[in-house]
Amino acid sequence: MSENILHNEQKLLNLLEKKFLLKESRIIRAKRVEVKVEPKEVIPVLLYAKENSGYIHFAHMSCVDWIEDGEFEVVYILWHPEEKINLFVKTRVPRDNGSLPNIDFIWRQANTYEREIREMFGLRFEGLEGRKEFILEDWNNIPPMRRDFDTEAYVKEVFFHRLGREDAKDVREKIQERTDEELPDFAKKYSRD
Amino acid sequence: MYNDKESQKIVDIIQNFARKHSLFVLAYGTGCGAIEIPPTMTSRYDAERFGIRGAATPRQADVLLITGYLATKTLKRVIRVYEQMQDPKYVMGFGSCAINGGMYWDSYNTINMLDKYIPVDVYINGCMPRPEAVIAGFVKLQKLIQEGKADGWDRYKKNLDEYRANQKKIITNWVMPDFNR
Ligand code: SF4
């Protein structure tokens, strides 16, 4: 890909790198820019992106549970309607007792995502308003999207099981064997290799 | 009361004949399957030729469709709706999710066996059943009604304690009015 095409992406990265202390930053591919920041830098970066760089659309916000590192990663996805670029702002907080600043004064709709993450992962947002109970009802277990929540054990305990599923075999090996087989002629033209 | 055709009184036969030809379906959907209902009802598959049509409120409806996976949160509403419906009432479970959990069998928020919580008269298999299958299910239900075998509402009253125990296992905060059998 020529430099020319990624011109807008590079411009954004240079601006952000000059202004903020980024932990990591890269262009994933055309139209995708990723920056990793400290939790306290989240508000400045988002505000700067919205007010000065034209990333006015808050597309999504999600959370990833990195249980191995003992951290949650929260991803804010912004969208530039004119340049058509997605900006991913990622930040990491400790799993226990971590907290993030509330950003719903920048985009009001962030409130919904934050409440969902608070409920599903148990991550605290400073100063977040709204009822604690959002999607779940009468939930008194650990937040269900945490990876230390054992879904299968919970399901076994709470729900009934119709007979007929116990003999479900692990077919992954069988499928793996089959993928090594020679393809029949008619299928060859659809094959990737 | 109505166990087989021979022991049915003539009035039951007439009553059941009338019932099976005017099934009012509650306009209520859960899961993916609600999307199969519009084509079933409208001109392409035209379920109205079987006497099947929509009803706006539970008290006017005869049939409750559970169209797919049922979240524990929705279960509460479904029980409430079911108990508001007038006798005789019928329940149809759509798709593998209602039968045994389907592909959501290990999800923390969907139930796996619908008939443990409310009595089901007909199950339709598929993921999701096509309108043809839905109509086949309705025809089966009509057959059961004519034979007097679609007695889910009766079973619910008789085994209410058992159903309640199962329901309360999931709905921990029970704040609903009581059901008068
Ligand atoms: S059976 Fe299939 S189509 Fe129906 S609710 Fe389940 S996943 Fe959706």
Side-chain angles (χ1 to χ4, degrees):
Chain A
M1 214 170 285
S2 76
E3 292 292 301
N4 226 353
I5 299 173
L6 295 179
H7 168 239
N8 283 335
E9 287 86 338
Q10 198 56 54
K11 202 176 75 192
L12 170 74
L13 262 194
N14 291 345
L15 271 175
L16 288 177
E17 267 164 6
K18 209 161 70 194
K19 274 244 174 284
F20 302 100
L21 210 77
L22 306 177
K23 276 202 290 190
E24 220 184 294
S25 62
R26 69 186 175 118
I27 298 172
I28 306 175
R29 59 181 169 87
K31 315 285 185 204
R32 301 272 187 287
V33 180
E34 177 196 75
V35 295
K36 294 190 175 169
V37 297
E38 293 289 340
K40 62 177 193 310
E41 293 271 327
V42 165
I43 288 183
V45 170
L46 293 184
L47 264 179
Y48 182 79
K50 183 185 180 191
E51 305 294 340
N52 296 8
S53 314
Y55 286 78
I56 52 174
H57 176 66
F58 181 80
H60 194 58
M61 171 175 176
S62 69
C63 184
V64 186
D65 186 356
W66 294 103
I67 197 167
E68 296 85 357
D69 308 342
E71 281 174 336
F72 284 130
E73 184 173 61
V74 176
V75 188
Y76 303 84
I77 304 176
L78 313 183
W79 171 246
H80 195 307
E82 273 116 46
E83 288 171 8
K84 312 241 180 299
I85 299 177
N86 272 114
L87 170 63
F88 295 75
V89 181
K90 299 186 176 178
T91 182
R92 283 192 176 217
V93 284
R95 280 179 101 245
D96 351 272
N97 291 323
S99 75
L100 271 180
N102 172 20
I103 60 146
D104 68 1
F105 65 94
I106 310 179
W107 290 278
R108 274 187 64 195
Q109 64 268 37
N111 184 280
T112 309
Y113 295 102
E114 287 179 343
R115 282 172 68 196
E116 184 180 354
I117 291 174
R118 175 172 73 181
E119 184 166 58
M120 292 294 176
F121 291 89
L123 177 59
R124 214 151 37 83
F125 288 90
E126 301 293 346
L128 176 60
E129 310 225 324
R131 266 187 74 191
K132 261 254 144 63
E133 198 168 67
F134 179 45
I135 295 171
L136 299 173
E137 210 176 61
D138 308 329
W139 186 259
N140 40 26
N141 215 311
I142 63 172
M145 288 302 206
R146 282 183 172 238
R147 274 168 62 205
D148 49 2
F149 173 70
D150 189 346
T151 320
E152 205 166 336
Y154 177 82
V155 167
K156 284 222 170 86
E157 189 197 319
V158 175
F159 301 124
F160 297 95
H161 284 273
R162 200 181 291 287
L163 293 181
R165 275 207 121 120
E166 324 64 46
D167 67 336
K169 299 201 185 73
D170 193 344
V171 290
R172 273 171 290 189
E173 257 175 43
K174 275 260 150 51
I175 291 174
Q176 193 55 47
E177 276 169 28
R178 270 182 29 201
T179 49
D180 298 339
E181 275 172 24
E182 174 99 8
L183 284 175
D185 280 343
F186 72 88
K188 274 198 181 123
K189 68 175 176 204
Y190 303 110
S191 162
R192 285 214 195 100
D193 19 79
Chain B
M1 187 159 50
Y2 334 93
N3 268 337
D4 47 78
K5 203 161 183 172
E6 285 80 63
S7 71
Q8 280 185 23
K9 296 200 196 96
I10 186 89
V11 48
D12 295 332
I13 293 174
I14 295 171
Q15 217 175 34
N16 287 339
F17 179 80
R19 277 176 186 161
K20 84 172 189 188
H21 284 302
S22 74
L23 293 174
F24 279 41
V25 178
L26 182 64
Y28 180 78
T30 69
C32 328
I35 214 72
E36 301 291 335
I37 303 306
T40 314
M41 293 294 177
T42 49
S43 52
R44 172 120 195 231
Y45 293 97
D46 193 17
E48 204 161 334
R49 65 204 151 110
F50 297 94
I52 301 160
R53 51 167 297 188
T57 73
R59 292 190 199 281
Q60 297 166 330
D62 303 308
V63 186
L64 176 62
L65 305 180
I66 306 298
T67 49
Y69 58 83
L70 188 55
T72 51
K73 198 173 169 182
T74 321
L75 179 69
K76 200 168 177 178
R77 279 79 187 167
V78 164
I79 293 166
R80 207 56 198 101
V81 162
Y82 182 70
E83 293 183 352
Q84 281 182 38
M85 285 164 64
Q86 310 280 324
D87 291 345
K89 48 193 173 187
Y90 313 102
V91 178
M92 278 168 78
F94 278 40
S96 39
C97 282
I99 296 171
N100 63 5
M103 66 182 194
Y104 298 108
W105 69 276
D106 63 349
S107 158
Y108 62 92
N109 60 354
T110 57
I111 61 160
N112 284 354
M113 284 172 74
L114 178 61
D115 47 323
K116 289 281 182 192
Y117 308 97
I118 50 174
V120 179
D121 294 298
V122 177
Y123 271 126
I124 312 171
N125 64 355
C127 173
M128 195 62 204
R130 283 185 52 80
E132 293 97 324
V134 174
I135 288 179
F138 271 110
V139 171
K140 173 82 182 168
L141 179 66
Q142 289 179 330
K143 200 161 153 258
L144 291 178
I145 292 173
Q146 181 65 68
E147 290 168 1
K149 283 183 188 156
D151 58 350
W153 50 283
D154 213 28
R155 271 184 283 140
Y156 191 67
K157 284 195 231 170
K158 285 197 185 118
N159 308 323
L160 185 63
D161 296 335
E162 198 186 307
Y163 283 115
R164 267 286 186 277
N166 290 345
Q167 291 162 359
K168 286 193 177 167
K169 206 171 152 194
I170 290 180
I171 306 168
T172 44
N173 184 14
W174 187 274
V175 284
M176 294 195 274
D178 274 337
F179 175 55
N180 303 316
R181 345 184 175 186

